[in-house]
Amino acid sequence: MSAALPGRPGAGDGTGAALPDRHPEAGDGPGAAQAGRRPEAGESMNTALPRRYRRLLLAYPAAYRRSHGTEILTTLMDGAGPGRQRPTAGEVHDILVGGLRQRFRLPAGRVMVLAALASALIAGGLGAGLGSLAGWAVAEDPGDAVVAELVTLAAGAPAEHYVTRQPEAFGLNAQAITSARTAGPPSLAAARARLEAAGWRVTPTGYDDTVLAARGGIQATVSVDGYGSVAVIATGVAPAVAGPLTAAGAVLGLVAGWLLAAWVGRRLRRAAFWWRVAVGELALLAALTLAWPTLGAWAYVTLPESRAHLFYAYAAYEVDRPLGLLTVAGLALAALAVGLSAVIQKQARVATLP
C-alpha cells in the first residue's frame, strides 16, 4: 500500500495529502524506529530504503523538501514493511507525480499565471529556434560539382560560370547562385529531359522558363531563356530531422518556461514588496524585448513560407539583425531577473537563521 504524499488528492496541509501534525523525533512511531533506533544483536539497520526515498524526494522543490521532507519520509517509512529495501512501484509513481505537481504549481494570483504563460511561449520559441538550428545544421550543401553538373545539364554542354554563395541565418542553408552563356538558345524541354536522365526529379514551377529539380538533399531552380543563357539557384532541402527537432525544442521550451516562472515565483513569495517589483519590472522588460523574435519563431513553426524553409524558426534570432539584438538584450534582462530572484531567496534564508 503506497503512503499518502503531498500533492496527491486528499485532505491535510492544503496540498492534498494528510501528514503528521509535527515532525516526529527518533523513536516516535514505527517509521522513526526503523530510521533512528539502534539495531539489536544480529539485526542490521535498514539504511538503503530511507536513502532511496530521499533520492526520489529530489523530485520536489528544495523549499518544499525543507518544509515537508521529514514528514514525507516518516510517512513512507511508517508504511514500509520490515526488511524492505526498495520503494514500491506505486510509491515511486506517487512521489514523482507529487514532486512534478509541486514544481509546476504557481503561487496564487492572475499575474503569476500570465507571467508563466508568457515565459512558456518565449522559451518555447527559443526551443523551436534551437531545435531547427540543430536540424538545419545537417542539411546538405550544394557543392561546386553539383552546381557545375546542373549548369551542364541545363546548357547541354559544359559552360563557363562563376558561383556565388549567399548563406542564410547563422551561415546555414546557403544558396549557390550561378549563370552561364550557351552557344545557342537553350531549350527548357531538352534541359528537363537531360536532368531527368541524370536522376533529378523535375517539377514545373508555373513559369514557362523555369523548373524545380531535386535529388537527394539538394534542390535547385533551373531557368533558361531564349537569348542563350541559363541560371541555377541550388540549396539544401529541409533535413528529415528538422521537423521533429523543432517540435521537440518547442515542447521542451514550453515546459521549461513554465517551470522557470514557477521557480521564480516560489522565491519571490516571501520577498519584500520592492524586491518583487524590481524582479517583475525586469521580467516585463525581458518579455517585451523578446516578444517580436518570439512571434517570428512561432510564425516559422506554424506557417512555413515554403517547403524549402520548413521549420526555419532559428532565422528569427539571427544575431547580426535587429531581431537578434532584441534577443540578446531580452535574454540578458531575463537572466538578470532570474539571478536577482536567487539572490533574494538566499538573503532571506540567511536572515532566518538563528
Side-chain angles (χ1 to χ4, degrees):
M1 180 177 65
S2 61
L5 301 177
R8 294 192 66 195
D13 67 342
T15 64
L19 294 173
D21 293 331
R22 63 187 179 89
H23 292 248
E25 299 294 333
D28 291 348
Q34 289 188 51
R37 69 178 175 84
R38 287 179 173 275
E40 297 177 0
E43 179 187 4
S44 61
M45 179 179 290
N46 181 6
T47 60
L49 186 60
R51 184 174 67 250
R52 288 176 175 132
Y53 279 142
R54 289 189 183 96
R55 289 175 182 171
L56 287 173
L57 290 175
L58 293 175
Y60 284 84
Y64 197 88
R65 293 197 306 271
R66 284 192 297 271
S67 300
H68 301 286
T70 302
E71 293 173 313
I72 300 174
L73 180 60
T74 303
T75 302
L76 290 166
M77 293 300 297
D78 285 344
R84 184 147 63 87
Q85 297 292 317
R86 295 180 180 278
T88 65
E91 288 172 340
V92 172
H93 173 270
D94 291 342
I95 294 172
L96 295 180
V97 170
L100 287 175
R101 184 179 291 116
Q102 289 300 323
R103 287 191 180 274
F104 276 92
R105 189 179 183 183
L106 298 173
R110 294 180 180 178
V111 173
M112 198 63 234
V113 174
L114 293 175
L117 289 173
S119 178
L121 289 174
I122 290 171
L126 285 168
L130 290 173
S132 65
L133 184 68
W136 276 94
V138 299
E140 188 173 345
D141 182 65
D144 291 343
V146 174
V147 176
E149 177 190 2
L150 289 167
V151 170
T152 300
L153 293 172
E160 185 178 354
H161 62 279
Y162 177 76
V163 180
T164 59
R165 297 186 178 275
Q166 296 182 359
E168 297 290 344
F170 297 99
L172 298 179
N173 197 31
Q175 290 184 333
I177 304 172
T178 188
S179 60
R181 300 291 297 176
T182 61
S187 166
L188 183 62
R192 177 170 184 167
R194 288 189 292 268
L195 287 166
E196 290 176 339
W200 291 87
R201 187 177 67 257
V202 182
T203 55
T205 62
Y207 297 96
D208 294 336
D209 60 349
T210 304
V211 293
L212 180 66
R215 187 180 68 187
I218 301 295
Q219 67 177 8
T221 56
V222 179
S223 303
V224 302
D225 61 26
Y227 303 98
S229 67
V230 298
V232 173
I233 302 176
T235 186
V237 300
V241 297
L245 287 178
T246 302
V251 171
L252 291 175
L254 288 169
V255 173
W258 185 280
L259 289 175
L260 179 63
W263 183 88
V264 172
R266 288 194 297 270
R267 277 146 184 79
L268 296 180
R269 188 164 42 192
R270 294 182 178 86
F273 172 76
W274 292 110
W275 283 119
R276 295 201 300 269
V277 169
V279 173
E281 289 182 349
L282 285 172
L284 179 61
L285 286 174
L288 292 175
T289 306
L290 291 169
W292 191 249
T294 300
L295 289 174
W298 283 109
Y300 274 119
V301 172
T302 57
L303 301 172
E305 295 177 319
S306 66
R307 188 70 179 174
H309 292 83
L310 187 63
F311 303 113
Y312 201 39
Y314 67 86
Y317 300 103
E318 189 174 8
V319 294
D320 60 350
R321 295 181 181 178
L323 289 183
L325 297 177
L326 288 177
T327 301
V328 173
L331 290 177
L333 289 169
L336 187 59
V338 171
L340 186 58
S341 302
V343 171
I344 291 171
Q345 190 211 29
K346 187 175 181 180
Q347 290 180 342
R349 194 185 305 168
V350 171
T352 58
L353 293 177

